[in-house]
Amino acid sequence: ANLYQLDGVTVNAPGTGGSFLLPSVDWLEDFKVIALGAGAEYGNFQGALVNMVTKSGNNTWPGAARAFAEPRVLNASNVNAFENGSEQAQRQELNAEVRGPLIRDRLYFYLSGQESYAAQRFVDFRQTTRAQVAWLPTTIDRREQKYYGKLTWQASPRDIVNMSLGLDNVAREH
C-alpha cells in the first residue's frame, strides 16, 4: 500500500505494489518517508510515501570508490546444533561513482555502479554433534550488479530536464 517515487516518478511494481527498482543508497541525494497525512498532490496509496531523489552532476568533478569485504572468520556464529538454519558465509561489495559537467552550466552527468557477492552456508545435520556445528561444503551464492546513469540539462534558469537509466539484475518473484 506504499507509494515509491524515484525523481518524482512512481516506481511501484505492477500487481505486487512493492518497488520494482531497488536503488543503491549511493545513488540517492535525498530520501524522505511521508506517513499518513501526506498532501493532496500525492495520491494512489494508503500507506506511506517513499520519495527518493537521485544525485545529479554539477560543475565540479567529484568521484568516489568504496570496497567492502566481510569474511566468515570475522563473524561469530549464533546457529545452534541441530537448528534448521543458515548464515552468511561471506560478502563483498564494490561501489564507484563519478559526476561532472559535459557542457559547463548546461549539461551534467552522473554515473554509478555497484557489484556485490554474498554466500549463504547451511548446517550439515549428518556431521553436526551437540558440541560442534558442521556446515555443508556448498553454499548458495548471490551476485548482484546495479548501474545508474543520469543526464541533467539546464534548459533555462527555471527549466531542468532529466533523463536517467537504471539497470539491475536482481531476480524477483512474479
Side-chain angles (χ1 to χ4, degrees), residues 143-162:
R143 297 183 188 284
E144 181 178 313
Q145 294 89 26
K146 292 183 179 187
Y147 303 100
Y148 183 75
K150 182 176 181 181
L151 281 175
T152 302
W153 174 40
Q154 183 78 45
S156 72
R158 294 178 29 172
D159 300 314
I160 297 175
V161 178
N162 288 313

Side-chain angles (χ1 to χ4, degrees), residues 101-116:
L102 293 174
I103 301 172
R104 188 165 181 79
D105 297 324
R106 299 293 285 179
L107 186 62
Y108 310 100
F109 75 94
Y110 172 76
L111 296 171
S112 179
Q114 175 183 358
E115 301 270 340
S116 63

Side-chain angles (χ1 to χ4, degrees), residues 9-108:
V9 176
T10 299
V11 291
N12 283 38
T16 61
S19 174
F20 76 87
L21 175 66
L22 300 172
S24 169
V25 295
D26 292 333
W27 303 351
L28 302 180
E29 187 81 40
D30 188 34
F31 182 88
K32 188 186 306 182
V33 178
I34 303 172
L36 296 175
E41 66 269 22
Y42 306 109
N44 299 324
F45 72 99
Q46 296 172 353
L49 166 67
V50 180
N51 191 12
M52 301 165 281
V53 177
T54 58
K55 294 177 182 176
S56 294
N58 52 36
N59 283 325
T60 62
W61 285 88
R66 181 179 44 142
F68 174 82
E70 184 178 348
R72 180 181 49 83
V73 298
L74 294 180
N75 291 327
S77 176
N78 65 351
V79 174
N80 298 318
F82 308 111
E83 178 181 335
N84 186 10
S86 68
E87 67 183 19
Q88 184 169 285
Q90 64 176 318
R91 184 170 159 252
Q92 292 113 22
E93 187 175 304
L94 178 63
N95 296 286
E97 68 177 39
V98 65
R99 54 181 162 170
L102 293 174
I103 301 172
R104 188 165 181 79
D105 297 324
R106 299 293 285 179
L107 186 62
Y108 310 100

